[in-house]
Amino acid sequence: MSMARRLLAKQRRLGSGWGEGIGLAYCLLLALAVLLPVVVVVLGAFVPAARLGLSSEQWVEGGEGWVSLKYFRYVLDLYSGPLLFSVGLAVFAVAGGLLLAVPAAYGLVRYPFPGSKLLEEVALLPLAVPGIAVAIALIQTYALIRGEWWFVGLGHLLYTVPLLLRTLLHALRGEGFELERAAATLGAGPWQRFRRVTWPRLRRPASLGCLITAAVSWGEFNASFLLATPVNQPFPAALYATYTSNSFAVSSAATTIFLAVILPLLIAVERLGRGDLLSMRQGA
Amino acid sequence: MNESRPAAPASASRPAALRRDAMGAERRPWLGVALCLPLGLFLVAVFLVPVAGLLPASLTATPGVLGRGLEAADGATLANYARALSPRGELAAFRNSFLLSASVALASLLLCLPPAWLLARRDFPGKGALRTVLALPLTFSGVIVGFLAILVLGRLGLLPTLLAALTGERLLAGSAYTLGGLAAAYVYFEVPRAVLTLEAAFRRLDPEVEEAAATLGAGPWQRLRRIWLPLSWPAVASTLAVTFAASMGSFGVALVLARRLSVVPLSIYTQYTGFLDSGLAAALCLLLAAVTLAANGLLRLAFRGRDYVYG
């Protein structure tokens, strides 16, 4: 067996065959194709369109260089409200998510009750129903509070809580009961056990879940667009507004601001918990 | 079922402190109920009640603006569903959505098999970076993907401009707004979904089987054909289901790109906000949800009991 292991270890390293060389080249090509539009956006945000010979603008300031921050200034002026709204929503989603998901995950794993499996299924269900359907259902049922910031926040929680809950459940189930059992034999009550034994070990998955929550909330479109009203929109909805009514450069600058927040979060999640990367998905 | 290790049966030999122990899950279910209560209330109020409310709404005749909808009528009617699925109604949107999603699911599966395989089974420098780049479109909502498609395939897009420099003709100009452009944009946001779903599944496959085959002298190609392909059909099925469901539900891309053609999520939006036809919109919502839930149900069958991901 050890020979086979060595053989496999050798084959796990790349470059042991021309087939894999082609495979890797193909992957790089795919990665380039994914990256290309993103690079175009970032370039388009910094380089004045007139320089690219693509200007449709009425006002082109004379004598400007290759790099300009004027589009960012424009976006920050125009969309400081939506930007702050979105930051607030992300904070709301993280805080609300922890309040809902941490006790629930602990209860579901440590004190299961009749119907706890069902509750778990229902909690994951919002991810399986198209976002537009849920958003329409929400504004139909709660037409009167449409546009309230916390209503939009509740809509975000619908998509972030399942992700946080799943991360926590996974961690709790993987850890086992031994330490808590030991604490119980030593006379620790449920609250003490949770605070002193369980929570310290949940901190890491919980932080990962919070990063994912913040990222999903920052980019969430369906709820942001449909539960809010045009007077007071979160940033993803404002992005759509720039796409329909602003120039390519302004849209690019707004998208670059979106990227500047999402990229560090994505890299952090890849580093901390590769397996949870898929959780960062946005309802497209 | 709930814990990874089953609790040891209470036996007379165990200390009394443990037998009275609240760890015995079944002994304090009320505590579990109390801890889950906030989440339960939240789900009922923000998810179950509104979604259930779609059913009576879909059974109600709504005139909409310009009398485009139905005559207001008393009692429940299936007329909204009939309109949703009639050729003069929204059947074209369903057909577009279905064909688009099915072909996009298949295309992204084929495109993403090699990277998923390499990420799961091989070590190489820059692997984390490759995964991060391929995962990037996950974080983009549909409208951003739509905007990126315009940048690359729009009338003044990058690709037509490059092709014009090469061939003298503006090939592909404005193709972002066609069905093909829509499909390309969908594939863009499906790439990470397919790569990561496949990678996770490939990782779950037992390496010992491969080790055994390797000791018996099977080469890489033989191992792929005789071991991995037969073992990885659940991965393939789940990838198809995840990507299909994501495409069916995608709203933002079509909102930015679709001009003449429509897909179901866009029809829902147009009917609800444009024609104020909430009955038809509700019927479309439920039909669409049924399709994506069915895809997820198939996924579950393929993964009986194992961890699976929703699309």
Side-chain angles (χ1 to χ4, degrees):
Chain A
M1 206 43 133
S2 85
M3 193 196 79
R5 263 182 213 286
R6 243 179 297 135
L7 195 67
L8 281 173
K10 207 178 89 191
Q11 283 173 357
R12 268 192 78 82
R13 283 196 302 274
L14 203 75
S16 52
W18 56 269
E20 293 188 344
I22 294 179
L24 192 64
Y26 167 78
C27 290
L28 290 178
L29 215 62
L30 191 66
L32 273 181
V34 167
L35 218 46
L36 181 75
V38 179
V39 172
V40 175
V41 163
V42 176
L43 280 181
F46 284 103
V47 182
R51 280 277 175 191
L52 301 172
L54 290 172
S55 181
S56 58
E57 288 178 6
Q58 304 299 308
W59 50 285
V60 179
E61 289 164 25
E64 54 188 357
W66 278 96
V67 173
S68 158
L69 294 176
K70 65 175 179 177
Y71 304 116
F72 287 97
R73 278 199 299 274
Y74 181 76
V75 171
L76 288 176
D77 275 355
L78 196 62
Y79 291 124
S80 56
L83 279 167
L84 282 177
F85 191 176
S86 271
V87 171
L89 282 175
V91 172
F92 179 84
V94 168
L98 285 175
L99 282 176
L100 291 175
V102 172
Y106 192 58
L108 285 171
V109 175
R110 297 299 190 247
Y111 307 101
F113 49 91
S116 56
K117 264 289 172 210
L118 182 70
L119 178 68
E120 204 181 315
E121 294 287 329
V122 174
L124 296 180
L125 211 51
L127 299 181
V129 178
I132 177 90
V134 178
I136 294 287
L138 275 167
I139 52 182
Q140 210 159 52
T141 311
Y142 300 115
L144 291 179
I145 50 173
R146 183 179 180 185
E148 299 283 349
W149 69 268
W150 48 268
F151 183 51
V152 185
L154 288 177
H156 280 207
L157 278 181
L158 216 46
Y159 297 99
T160 60
V161 164
L163 308 174
L164 190 56
L165 186 72
R166 198 165 49 189
T167 313
L168 292 172
L169 286 175
H170 206 71
L172 275 173
R173 287 188 177 136
E175 292 280 1
F177 289 84
E178 275 71 24
L179 281 177
E180 284 175 49
R181 250 184 244 286
T185 47
L186 295 171
W191 168 243
Q192 224 178 348
R193 280 202 304 271
F194 176 77
R195 204 170 58 84
R196 306 289 287 273
V197 181
T198 313
W199 177 244
R201 290 185 302 160
L202 273 186
R203 262 202 302 253
R204 194 186 142 92
S207 345
L208 185 63
C210 289
L211 286 180
I212 294 172
T213 298
V216 169
S217 167
W218 175 251
E220 210 287 331
F221 177 72
N222 290 323
S224 304
F225 179 59
L226 287 162
L227 304 190
T229 48
V231 266
N232 188 18
Q233 285 184 320
F235 190 55
L239 269 182
Y240 173 61
T242 63
Y243 296 159
T244 52
S245 58
N246 274 313
S247 74
F248 150 76
V250 171
S251 303
S252 296
T255 311
T256 305
I257 292 174
F258 167 83
L259 286 169
V261 174
I262 210 75
L263 274 177
L265 290 171
L266 181 71
I267 292 168
V269 171
E270 206 280 334
R271 289 280 163 83
L272 283 174
R274 186 199 58 230
D276 292 298
L277 213 49
L278 197 55
S279 294
M280 294 187 81
R281 67 189 180 280
Q282 213 47 259
Chain B
M1 277 319 256
N2 277 302
E3 52 268 12
S4 53
R5 308 146 207 239
S11 69
S13 64
R14 299 177 70 196
L18 268 190
R19 259 184 283 132
R20 284 203 309 273
D21 173 14
M23 302 282 52
E26 62 284 353
R27 261 161 290 182
R28 282 202 187 175
W30 57 267
L31 194 51
V33 172
L35 288 169
C36 291
L37 198 62
L39 178 68
L41 290 177
F42 165 76
L43 286 171
V44 167
V46 185
F47 183 66
L48 293 178
V49 166
V51 171
L54 286 175
L55 188 62
S58 74
L59 298 175
T60 310
T62 43
V65 289
L66 308 172
R68 228 177 144 275
L70 299 160
E71 295 288 319
D74 292 330
T77 165
L78 285 175
N80 285 319
Y81 289 93
R83 286 164 68 215
L85 295 175
S86 83
R88 290 178 57 203
E90 301 297 332
L91 188 65
F94 271 101
R95 202 182 44 225
N96 285 341
S97 269
F98 192 84
L99 291 178
L100 192 62
S101 305
S103 42
V104 163
L106 204 59
S108 20
L109 173 75
L110 294 176
L111 276 176
C112 296
L113 276 171
W117 176 262
L118 283 179
L119 288 174
R121 314 296 307 179
R122 293 290 179 266
D123 297 321
F124 51 92
K127 188 162 135 174
L130 178 68
R131 187 187 288 111
T132 310
V133 169
L134 290 178
L136 185 59
L138 274 187
T139 61
F140 298 168
S141 60
V143 288
I144 296 179
V145 176
F147 175 61
L148 295 181
I150 293 178
L151 286 186
V152 177
L153 292 171
R155 298 206 170 82
L156 284 173
L158 181 73
L159 224 51
T161 310
L162 283 180
L163 286 172
L166 285 175
T167 66
E169 274 181 85
R170 296 193 70 84
L171 299 171
L172 291 177
S175 60
Y177 306 105
T178 65
L179 194 59
L182 203 57
Y186 276 39
V187 168
Y188 186 80
F189 74 69
E190 296 289 20
V191 160
R193 286 169 168 82
V195 168
L196 296 174
T197 311
L198 284 170
E199 187 199 346
F202 285 154
R203 243 171 230 290
R204 271 199 293 270
L205 299 178
D206 187 358
E208 296 210 346
V209 183
E210 193 179 5
E211 283 169 25
T215 39
L216 293 172
W221 170 244
Q222 230 177 340
R223 292 205 301 273
L224 177 75
R225 200 167 57 87
R226 305 292 285 275
I227 297 174
W228 293 125
L229 289 186
L231 279 179
S232 53
W233 75 263
V236 168
S238 69
T239 306
L240 286 175
V242 163
T243 49
F244 177 80
S247 293
M248 282 301 290
S250 170
F251 165 57
V253 183
L255 182 66
V256 173
L257 291 183
R259 291 293 180 266
R260 295 229 182 90
L261 53 105
S262 185
V263 290
V264 180
L266 193 60
S267 291
I268 294 173
Y269 175 69
T270 321
Q271 290 301 336
Y272 190 83
T273 60
F275 298 115
L276 305 178
D277 196 341
S278 55
L280 182 55
L284 289 169
C285 281
L286 287 177
L287 289 170
L288 181 64
V291 174
T292 59
L293 285 172
N296 276 302
L298 291 179
L299 176 57
R300 264 190 114 124
L301 275 182
F303 270 88
R304 272 175 297 253
R306 266 177 292 167
D307 212 17
Y308 65 98
V309 272
Y310 282 110

